[in-house]
Every structure is written in C-alpha cells, then in structure tokens.
Amino acid sequence: MGAPAGPASSGPTPKPLDQLPRLARDTTEEDPWPVSVLSQKYHDAVARWPGAWVEGQIVEINTRRTGSAYLTLRDNFEDISINVMGFRAFATQAREFRQGDRVVVHGRPDLWIKQTRLSFMADRIKRVGTGDLKEQIDQLRRKLKGEGLFDAENKVPLPEFPRRIGLICAPKARAEGDVITNARLRWPTIEFSVVHAHVQGPQCPPEVVEAIQKLDADPAVDVIIVARGGGSFEDLLGFSDESVVRATAACVTPIVSAIGHEDDWTLIDLAADLRASTPTDAAKRVVPDLVEQEGIIQEARMRINARIENMVEGEIRLIEGYANRPSLTKPQTMLDKPQRLVDESLVRLDIALRRIVDDASLTVEKLQSSLTALSPQSTLDRGYAVVQTLDGKVVVSPQQVQTDQDLTLTVKEGRIETRVVSGQ
C-alpha cells in the first residue's frame, strides 16, 4: 500500500541532495542550501562535539512528566543561561533537586533539527551546594528583617476609594492591560499614572527604584502597583534586589507588589504594604467594586428610609395621643383639679382662721377677767375710794396729810374734792 498523496502544491520541487553544493563555501545566491540542509549540517557538526561537565544554578526545573526532566541552568557569575534536558536515569536523579540548587551536569550538546534549537542533553547531575543566588537572597532577607523593613507596624493601609493608581510595569506588558482592564471594570472612574521599566535583567533594579520614587513624589497618586507577569526564578531576581526592597519600604504612598504568579516570591513582597498573587488580583484588591458599593449604598438608603418612616410614624402616634387627650378635647377639665385644690384650700383656710379667732377671743376674755379682777376700778365699784393729794400721791396713812390740806377722792362714778379738818 503506497503512502497517501499529499496536498497539491504550486511551490518549487526540491533538488536531490547530490545536486546541492557539498560545502557552505560552494553555495551561491542562485544555488543556496535549503533551511533543512543547513539545520542538518548544524546537527551533524554538534553531534561531533565531545561531552562535558558544566556547573551552574538551577533557576527553573520541570520534572512533572515521568521519565523526563527539563532544567534551566544559570552561570554562577554571568547573566547567561542554557536549557538542559534528560530522560530516564537523569530524570530520576533530577527529581531530588529544587530551584536555586547549584549543580554540575554531564551531557552532550544536541540540536533539534525541526527548529534548529540548541540544547544540552544530560545524563548525570550532582549537587555542588546551596545555590549562590538563593543563599544570597536568604541572607539579604534576614538582614533586612533584622532592620525592621518587613515589620507589620510599618505597613500602610490602602485607601478605600483611590482616584489615581501609579502602575510600574514593562512596556506593552500583559500585566499592564490586566491591571487597567480589571480595575476599570470594577471602578470605571479610576485613573492611572503608568511608568514603564525593565522588569528583569541588570536594568531592572535601578529603573524600578526610580519609578517608585517618581510615583511616590506625585501627590495625585493614591496607591502604587508594581506588576510583572510570571517568570523563572532568574527572571524575578531584580525584585529581590536590596535597592528595590529599601525603596519599597521607604515609600510613603501605599504600595502593592504583584510579581509573578501565586507560587512565586520575591523580597519586594515582604516590604510592600500588600502582596497580590497576580496583577489581576492587585487590580481587584486596590479598587472597590462599583456594583458592590452601589448595593451597599442602596441598602443604606433603605435603612435610612425605614428609620425615617419609623420616626415619622412614632411622632404621628405621639401627636395623635396628645390630640386625643381630654386636656385638648375638653380644655375646661384642666381647671377641675386646680379648682378643687382652691376650694379645699379656702375651706381649710376658713376653718384655720376661725380657730385662730376663737383661740384669740378666749385668750382676750381670760386676760380681761384677770385684768378686771386686778383693776382698782373693781375695788371702787364695791364702794371703796382712793385718796390722793393734789400732786397725785395716794394717801395710805393719816401722817401723810395735814389739817386744811386739799385732797381728791376717787369713787366708782367720779372724783370728790375735799379738805382735811383733822387727822388722827
């Protein structure tokens, strides 16, 4: 059975290999090599290279598929990386290693013809020691923590209703669109001040520090988001730089870190006022939800209306109660009680005055009787007389008068003038 016929093509028919130039120097503009031939030449050349041991740090490792392992090794001193792959025994060995480990790997160079991509096919891997970068970052973390840069009391709360967000991200990065789109879906009036910076490589730390300081100095910016999409451990190293961490901790404006995916971590996450798992998560946590806020306002209005209605109904009931009281329907009843009080008071006053008068009359009568009993007039009324000299002295002895002396006699009904004839 023959091979199935391929689709019709109007392209050129490939030349037989024996008709192509044998060496690269023999190719010309009219007689070039096809890409497949060049790729095959590369592959044949790489296949003749000897095996080698290489040393580096694991910045990315994937051993999820059984029987295969894929690593990215970074040079210990230069910003240079290489892809490493291996199968069977190597894959089993690689499962014992983690991101950040420093290792030596043995293998041979290999070129994948389909994409002309060079990689390192490994067969053995050994641990050298703890990864330099990971250890350096851990030492820096302990140092900065000891200085208090990560303390909770230094965290600044995010504004509840920000007007402008300062966004730091790479130019034309997906993280920029994620943050702006999701923030405006939740809060359409939000504004942005976007500062672009490198988010990996040696230019990352100084540019991120400059962007943080620029946005922090802008009084219109209410909160700052530092955003970057996912990446390898190596790609995110710039956000663990000491200068970036210190600039983040010193930032007065609330700052949110949204670096990588949820499982990624950098030192800026510890210094920021809030860590978001992704740029999208940062947008959702920085601005309120308009629908939710409208619901809160609507519920508050309903509570206010219900409370006002209850207050008005209560006042109406109170007014109706006042209006139905006898004091308003029959105002004269308001005088009944005071009138009774006045009448009772008059009765009590009359009785009291009568008692006072009676007691006073009895006292006067007693005093009058006593006065009458003691009065000289009473003696005179019984026939006695009072003898007085002309100067008013009462005569009580004959020795007080002389012959021919004029005297006055006071009797019951008047006075009698007389003269002494003789006295004994």
Side-chain angles (χ1 to χ4, degrees):
M1 186 174 181
S9 175
S10 60
T13 303
K15 288 184 179 181
L17 292 178
D18 56 359
Q19 297 181 12
L20 293 174
R22 189 175 64 87
L23 300 176
R25 65 171 176 266
D26 298 331
T27 60
T28 64
E29 181 179 355
E30 292 76 19
D31 194 13
W33 274 347
V35 172
S36 59
V37 172
L38 179 63
S39 182
Q40 183 65 50
K41 295 287 186 180
Y42 284 169
H43 177 271
D44 295 343
V46 170
R48 292 192 293 270
W49 293 355
W53 285 95
V54 294
E55 179 181 349
Q57 182 180 11
I58 299 176
V59 294
E60 191 171 5
I61 182 169
N62 183 349
T63 58
R64 289 191 293 269
R65 295 183 62 180
T66 303
S68 62
Y70 300 89
L71 292 76
T72 300
L73 286 186
R74 180 185 182 275
D75 188 85
N76 292 330
F77 306 102
E78 301 292 337
D79 188 13
I80 301 174
S81 301
I82 187 172
N83 293 326
V84 178
M85 68 177 64
F87 305 95
R88 294 182 292 279
F90 176 80
T92 302
Q93 296 173 17
R95 291 183 181 277
E96 300 178 2
F97 295 85
R98 297 289 181 270
Q99 186 183 65
D101 291 342
R102 191 156 60 92
V103 296
V104 289
V105 178
H106 182 271
R108 301 176 63 88
D110 182 70
L111 187 135
W112 186 26
I113 294 179
K114 190 174 183 64
Q115 293 187 357
T116 317
R117 187 172 63 193
L118 184 67
S119 63
F120 192 75
M121 186 67 67
D123 52 37
R124 278 177 289 174
I125 180 171
K126 292 184 178 181
R127 190 185 307 275
V128 174
T130 304
D132 291 342
L133 290 176
K134 184 177 180 182
E135 179 62 23
Q136 291 173 12
I137 291 175
D138 198 45
Q139 290 177 359
L140 179 60
R141 179 188 62 80
R142 292 193 294 268
K143 171 187 172 182
L144 299 179
K145 182 179 180 181
E147 295 181 16
L149 266 66
F150 306 149
D151 292 349
E153 55 266 25
N154 296 332
K155 307 299 182 184
V156 179
L158 303 186
E160 188 173 3
F161 298 101
R163 294 186 296 271
R164 179 176 290 273
I165 296 174
L167 176 60
I168 302 172
C169 60
K172 300 180 181 179
R174 182 178 178 181
E176 179 178 350
D178 290 344
V179 171
I180 294 177
T181 300
N182 285 280
R184 285 180 173 163
L185 283 175
R186 292 170 60 87
W187 200 250
T189 60
I190 193 67
E191 298 177 349
F192 283 89
S193 293
V194 181
V195 178
H196 292 134
H198 282 83
V199 293
Q200 69 182 70
Q203 294 175 288
C204 172
E207 290 187 8
V208 171
V209 169
E210 182 181 357
I212 291 175
Q213 293 173 346
K214 178 180 179 181
L215 292 175
D216 191 28
D218 187 351
V221 175
D222 300 310
V223 62
I224 300 172
I225 297 177
V226 183
R228 186 202 191 283
S232 65
F233 175 79
E234 180 186 28
D235 294 338
L236 305 181
L237 283 176
F239 295 97
S240 292
D241 187 87
E242 182 173 357
S243 62
V244 172
V245 178
R246 290 190 180 278
T248 302
C251 185
V252 177
T253 306
I255 187 166
V256 178
S257 66
I259 308 301
H261 299 303
E262 187 171 358
D263 294 335
D264 298 325
W265 68 272
T266 58
L267 294 186
I268 193 177
D269 297 330
L270 303 178
D273 298 304
L274 177 69
R275 177 189 182 267
S277 58
T278 63
T280 299
D281 180 53
K284 293 180 179 180
R285 301 180 69 174
V286 166
V287 297
D289 186 357
L290 178 61
V291 176
E292 180 181 344
Q293 295 300 317
E294 288 177 343
I296 293 174
I297 294 173
Q298 185 63 28
E299 183 179 353
R301 285 178 174 174
M302 292 174 61
R303 289 200 302 268
I304 292 173
N305 290 337
R307 188 167 182 179
I308 292 175
E309 289 176 0
N310 291 336
M311 292 177 61
V312 172
E313 291 175 358
E315 294 299 321
I316 290 175
R317 288 194 297 269
L318 185 62
I319 293 173
E320 290 176 347
Y322 287 147
N324 294 328
R325 287 184 176 181
S327 57
L328 293 179
T329 57
K330 297 179 180 180
Q332 66 274 12
T333 57
M334 297 176 61
L335 303 177
D336 292 345
K337 186 175 180 179
Q339 186 61 51
R340 288 195 299 270
L341 180 61
V342 171
D343 294 342
E344 293 174 357
S345 298
L346 288 175
V347 172
R348 289 196 298 271
L349 180 61
D350 181 67
I351 295 173
L353 290 175
R354 290 179 183 277
R355 287 178 179 175
I356 292 173
V357 172
D358 290 344
D359 292 343
S361 299
L362 181 60
T363 301
V364 170
E365 290 177 357
K366 290 181 179 180
L367 292 175
Q368 184 178 6
S369 299
S370 299
L371 183 60
T372 301
L374 297 175
S375 173
Q377 185 65 40
S378 300
T379 303
L380 296 177
D381 290 343
R382 292 197 299 270
Y384 293 94
V386 177
V387 180
Q388 294 175 293
T389 61
L390 294 179
D391 57 4
K393 293 181 179 180
V394 177
V395 178
V396 296
S397 173
Q399 285 78 14
Q400 292 181 255
V401 299
Q402 299 175 359
T403 303
D404 294 330
Q405 183 178 353
D406 291 331
L407 299 174
T408 301
L409 300 178
T410 302
V411 295
K412 176 181 179 181
E413 296 182 358
R415 287 184 176 186
I416 300 173
E417 293 182 0
T418 184
R419 179 172 290 184
V420 178
V421 177
S422 63
Q424 296 181 353

